[in-house]
Amino acid sequence: MTTNADRLARDAADAAEVRRWQSHPDVIAWRVERVRRQVDRLCWAGIVLGLAFTTANVQWFAAAGAEVGSLPWLTAWLLDPTVCLVLLAILRAEQITARYQVHTGRWVRAAKWLTLAATYVMNTWSSWAAGSPAGVVLHSVPPVVVFVAAEAVTDLRDKLTDAVHVAVSTSMNRTEVHEPAATEPAVTVAEVARPERRKLFADYLADARAAWSAEVEITPAWVREATGCSRGLSSRLAAALAAEVAEEVRP
């Protein structure tokens, strides 16, 4: 006969299992990756729409009253896409570098700012020359939104990667919760399997140290193969092991 205590014990065990998996680094990484995809899609949609708006304005600015269908009028359509393609290439590259927290150089940031500044000037020049505050505001909003989004999306990707690393560190350093005593009227071993002890950072490092030899290059990929650790943890383990090896060979 199943009592209320037995049902509560099973519910408690189920809740503990769900909580354990919710705090697992791989589950957190999967959730962060899903959010990252949503952020990328929304930001890219806003950036593409903003650049599409500026294309028409820049064409009108570059055509300078040329007859519709004439060569200058047609050529004017190439000006803004030229600038936008360079900007999109930079943002696409930063989408990958920010994922792995690889910081780009000054030339990359300078190129991004130059393309954004060029788009802004070409969109607002006619309004500034005509002394139209309303026109300046109207044609300033899309380039400014594109500029802010281009800067913000890189930081967002970097912070989302930090969130995964924090989850891994917290999981590795977390103390294990003691299991209830066998005499308590809880769930029996036959009903719920006891979770195994989670490997700590020091355990993974010891495994990597034991598997390493002088002819092996210490890389995150090798660490994952040797220890079976996660991708987020492998970089820290590789750095720690490389530091130990360098310390040992140092005279």
Side-chain angles (χ1 to χ4, degrees), residues 152-174:
V153 70
T154 303
D155 290 340
L156 286 174
R157 295 189 191 108
D158 187 71
K159 296 305 179 183
L160 288 172
T161 303
D162 282 340
V164 176
H165 291 170
V166 170
V168 172
S169 300
T170 302
S171 177
M172 292 300 101
N173 298 326
R174 185 178 56 192

Side-chain angles (χ1 to χ4, degrees), residues 154-208:
T154 303
D155 290 340
L156 286 174
R157 295 189 191 108
D158 187 71
K159 296 305 179 183
L160 288 172
T161 303
D162 282 340
V164 176
H165 291 170
V166 170
V168 172
S169 300
T170 302
S171 177
M172 292 300 101
N173 298 326
R174 185 178 56 192
T175 57
E176 297 294 328
V177 179
H178 294 289
E179 294 291 335
T183 55
E184 296 180 3
V187 184
T188 64
V189 178
E191 294 173 337
V192 178
R194 302 296 187 188
E196 297 181 358
R197 174 183 175 272
R198 189 184 301 278
K199 293 180 68 173
L200 303 179
F201 181 86
D203 300 328
Y204 283 109
L205 184 58
D207 293 343

Side-chain angles (χ1 to χ4, degrees), residues 50 53-54 116 119-121 123-124 138-148:
F53 178 87
T54 64
L116 290 168
T119 301
Y120 176 81
V121 171
N123 269 268
T124 59
L138 175 63
H139 296 299
S140 294
V141 170
V144 169
V145 169
V146 170
F147 176 81
V148 173

Side-chain angles (χ1 to χ4, degrees), residues 34 43-44 46 59 75 90 131 140 147 176 220 224:
R34 185 172 60 178
C43 285
W44 275 108
Q59 191 278 339
T75 306
I90 295 172
S140 294
F147 176 81
E176 297 294 328
R224 289 195 300 272

